[in-house]
Amino acid sequence: MIRFIVRRLLASVVVVFVVASASFLLLHAAPGGPFDTDQRRSAAVQRAMEDRYGLRDSLAAQYGRELAMLAHGDLGRSMKRDVTVNDLIAQHAPVSALVGALGLLVAIGLGLGMGVLAAWRRNTRTDYGLMAVALVGISVPSFVLGPLLIATISIHLGWLPPARIDGPAGYVLPAITLGLLYLGTIARLTRGGMLEALGQDFVRTARAKGLPERTVVWKHALRIGVQPVVTYLGPATAALISGSFVVEKIFQIPGLGASFVDSIAERDYPVLTGVFVFYAVLLVLLNLVVDLAYGWLDPRVREARA
Amino acid sequence: MSLGPGAWARMRQHRLAVACGALVLAIAVACIVGPWIAAAFGLDATTIDARLGATPPSSAHWLGTDTLGRDMLVRVMIGGRIALLVALVTTSVALVIGVAYGAIAAYAGGLVDEVMMRVVDALYGFPTVVFIIVVMSVLGTRSLVALFALIGGISWLTMARIVRGQVLGLARREFVEAARASGASPTRIVLRHVLPNAAGPVIVYATLALPQVMLTEAFLSFLGLGVQAPLASWGTLVTEGSSQILVYPWLLIGPGVTMALAILCLNFVGDGLRDALDPHTRKI
């Protein structure tokens, strides 16, 4: 198990290194300097600004400096506003994390339930109905669903605030919009995993022991049937990140996704690459956790790795 | 799995999938032919009638008009052309990369295979969409070709895995053994004997990739990075509409429902194809 963890950690370091190098290359491939604007500046001012950000050093020197900065956890600073990328993340990421966690909760809670029910009642109307709903959920983009929810539930019915988070009620619509994004995928994965699990020997044993069906399904089978969902948590978080761009923009939530989208329009390259590195590291770490959780869920995997 | 008559019979049993396939075809044909028919009635996507402005759906304009008085139905059809074009081309790009990558990994085997598949694993847990957003905004490129290459460049992972699995399975079969014994080169074996037999799952996953890349394109368009004016795709129309949902809801509902319907139907067709052509794979 230790060897497995070490190997995965090494692979993660390689990925982070590649990400950092890619972001560096991208920054330098950007057409024009970050200070080429319509404003007239004297050559001296231009040079001074470029000096301040070390843009006149050799590429190798800049690359070395960038990697050293990243190794210290420094993601650089914005070129449009007087703020470091680290501050930006510290300020906005908690909001995104909360909305994201709530969305994930919606997706996992409903998705697992739907998937287990569909597998348990397989090839019945319940099953087909639930899976059709899941597919609809996968197919409706959040930037269609979000505005429709605002128009109907917030404005027309007046039940929930349309935008901005002032209180707990403000989280409901963003969490639902975000959660529906992959609720369907989780439901389908759960169904597939459960169908496989319900056909295995240990489930037959549990039934033969005379355990109630509820215990067999929810305690024994689910532990194995949930595995595809656990594997999906990595890609789900990636989807959560790109989903947050849309949802935070639509509901005007001051999260990291909204700042990222604003940086696209502002052409604030260091923020774009810095936040990208942050997301990549986050996902690499998460995938590591998922791999470990896998062994914890299924003793057979743990044995195989030892 | 074979592509023979048995597969067609299984597919036909999925009445929903067949109906969805027909609907997608209808939408595609309408998008391709529709604008010409509309032109015969004096409607096009570019004529601006500022005095008319945004009007709700009527008998003259079935999906209403936008704030510049342009007919929304024609705009949705023209947008569909671009959306379908992007979906087809990017899926083809993903298909070529995925098939080549998977086949090479499987046929090379050993360390090469190991490294190639670890790369795929790493990319699965990687914010690829965020990456292409950064690439597109940093390079300042908004061309359709870049869109094809970038979306195609991140959408081949599942295809590579499927093809690798297929090739590994087929490589052990007798007819491949026979081809090898008769002196066929590895390239010939892969191209002539192995890949054609892997066609079923490849078709399934190519179909399932279509709605996925459509969503990605629409998402990029929502962020202002995808299809640019004067071209418009469903993604850009939905983006325009979503900002005016409270005043002119039909600007979102027309393109939004069309796009969601096309994506939903493609997903149903993909599911049906999977049951027909590739019954052994687990539902994802």
Side-chain angles (χ1 to χ4, degrees):
Chain A
M1 197 63 195
I2 299 284
R3 257 186 64 195
F4 169 76
I5 296 174
V6 170
R7 209 169 60 212
R8 289 288 287 109
L9 267 176
L10 280 178
S12 305
V13 171
V14 172
V15 172
V16 171
F17 177 76
V18 171
V19 166
S21 308
S23 78
F24 172 81
L25 283 177
L26 274 172
L27 257 186
H28 285 268
F35 301 118
D36 297 346
T37 56
D38 298 336
Q39 298 170 30
R40 275 168 184 250
R41 281 201 203 99
S42 71
V45 171
Q46 182 84 9
R47 202 158 48 234
M49 293 185 78
E50 286 178 6
D51 267 336
R52 169 149 161 63
Y53 291 97
L55 293 177
R56 291 154 63 78
D57 301 345
S58 76
L59 262 189
Q62 292 189 42
Y63 180 51
R65 200 168 53 222
E66 172 116 332
L67 283 187
M69 272 167 58
L70 279 174
H72 289 93
D74 181 351
L75 293 168
R77 58 185 306 126
S78 164
M79 282 184 159
K80 305 286 166 175
R81 281 165 290 172
D82 190 22
V83 60
T84 65
V85 176
N86 293 54
D87 286 343
L88 199 74
I89 291 172
Q91 198 186 342
H92 296 288
V95 183
S96 296
L98 183 55
V99 176
L102 289 172
L104 199 60
L105 212 64
V106 169
I108 291 182
L110 283 175
L112 276 186
M114 283 168 66
V116 170
L117 193 60
W120 190 45
R121 294 278 177 86
R122 64 169 163 280
N123 298 333
T124 62
R125 281 216 184 128
T126 318
D127 180 14
Y128 295 143
L130 284 174
M131 286 305 108
V133 170
L135 211 48
V136 172
I138 291 172
S139 304
V140 180
S142 44
F143 43 85
V144 173
L145 184 70
L148 284 178
L149 286 179
I150 293 179
T152 51
I153 295 184
S154 300
I155 306 296
H156 192 68
L157 297 170
W159 287 351
L160 290 165
R164 294 205 182 84
I165 289 179
D166 301 322
Y171 286 99
V172 177
L173 284 186
I176 290 178
T177 312
L178 202 52
L180 284 183
L181 201 65
Y182 42 93
L183 164 92
T185 313
I186 290 184
R188 284 155 65 98
L189 286 171
T190 309
R191 180 180 179 273
M194 285 300 285
L195 281 182
E196 193 139 302
L198 285 172
Q200 286 188 21
D201 288 343
F202 69 89
V203 169
R204 200 174 314 145
T205 311
R207 281 192 177 133
K209 279 198 299 187
L211 289 177
E213 184 68 12
R214 208 180 44 216
T215 316
V216 173
V217 171
W218 288 100
K219 269 193 84 177
H220 290 77
L222 186 60
R223 199 181 165 103
I224 300 302
V226 80
Q227 278 177 3
V229 178
V230 176
T231 320
Y232 176 65
L233 281 181
T237 310
L240 197 74
I241 288 170
S242 34
S244 76
F245 298 169
V246 172
V247 169
E248 289 178 10
K249 208 66 201 156
I250 290 176
F251 291 96
Q252 298 175 26
I253 299 168
L256 190 57
S259 326
F260 185 84
V261 175
D262 290 340
S263 308
I264 298 174
E266 291 172 0
R267 304 167 68 91
D268 198 343
Y269 306 136
V271 171
L272 289 176
T273 53
V275 174
F276 165 59
V277 171
F278 170 73
Y279 282 143
V281 171
L282 194 73
L283 280 176
V284 164
L285 288 178
L286 189 92
N287 280 307
L288 202 61
V289 174
V290 164
D291 272 357
L292 299 179
Y294 217 72
W296 172 73
L297 273 171
D298 189 346
R300 290 171 299 185
V301 175
R302 202 160 48 211
E303 299 280 308
R305 281 177 189 166
Chain B
M1 225 32 213
S2 73
L3 294 174
W8 176 234
R10 279 195 301 276
M11 179 73 195
R12 257 190 333 206
Q13 281 174 358
H14 270 264
R15 269 170 296 177
L16 186 60
V18 175
C20 281
L23 187 55
V24 163
L25 269 185
I27 292 177
V29 170
C31 289
I32 295 165
V33 187
W36 292 322
I37 299 173
F41 290 93
L43 291 173
D44 65 59
T46 49
T47 306
I48 290 173
D49 186 350
R51 262 184 320 171
L52 179 64
T55 56
S58 62
S59 57
H61 303 283
W62 292 355
L63 292 182
T65 54
D66 70 1
T67 46
L68 296 174
R70 292 177 290 189
D71 180 81
M72 278 307 286
L73 178 61
V74 184
R75 293 202 77 200
V76 168
M77 290 189 294
I78 299 269
R81 286 182 179 178
I82 301 288
L84 293 171
L85 177 74
V86 173
L88 285 175
V89 176
T90 48
T91 302
S92 311
V93 172
L95 190 69
V96 170
I97 301 177
V99 169
Y101 195 96
I104 289 172
Y107 218 86
L111 190 65
V112 179
D113 178 31
E114 179 72 20
V115 170
M116 283 176 87
M117 291 331 280
R118 285 299 80 76
V119 169
V120 170
D121 289 347
L123 284 175
Y124 256 110
F126 187 79
T128 41
V129 179
V130 183
F131 179 69
I132 59 175
I133 292 171
V134 176
V135 172
M136 292 195 86
S137 39
V138 167
L139 297 187
T141 171
R142 302 285 189 273
S143 75
L144 271 185
V145 176
L147 205 62
F148 295 152
L150 285 169
I151 301 181
I154 62 164
S155 307
W156 52 271
L157 300 175
T158 305
M159 186 60 80
R161 274 193 183 164
I162 299 290
V163 169
R164 174 177 171 274
Q166 286 290 313
V167 171
L168 281 182
L170 288 165
R172 273 185 249 118
R173 300 272 291 273
E174 291 83 357
F175 66 92
V176 174
E177 199 65 38
R180 200 174 293 132
S182 64
S185 70
T187 321
R188 188 183 156 81
I189 292 176
V190 169
L191 290 182
R192 287 298 301 271
H193 299 281
V194 176
L195 283 184
N197 283 293
V202 169
I203 292 173
V204 170
Y205 285 92
T207 314
L208 287 172
L210 281 172
Q212 210 53 52
V213 300
M214 266 173 130
L215 278 175
T216 309
E217 178 266 313
F219 173 69
L220 290 175
S221 297
F222 178 81
L223 298 178
L225 291 169
V227 176
Q228 301 291 313
L231 295 177
S233 74
W234 286 338
T236 47
L237 292 178
V238 165
T239 309
E240 281 175 33
S242 70
S243 60
Q244 309 184 62
I245 174 85
L246 299 178
V247 212
Y248 312 121
W250 58 90
L251 293 187
L252 173 66
I253 292 171
V257 168
T258 313
M259 180 167 80
L261 209 59
I263 290 172
L264 180 66
C265 283
L266 283 171
N267 274 324
F268 270 124
V269 172
D271 265 15
L273 279 175
R274 171 162 45 202
D275 291 348
L277 298 176
D278 190 17
H280 302 300
T281 47
R282 201 164 56 190
K283 290 221 164 194
I284 296 174

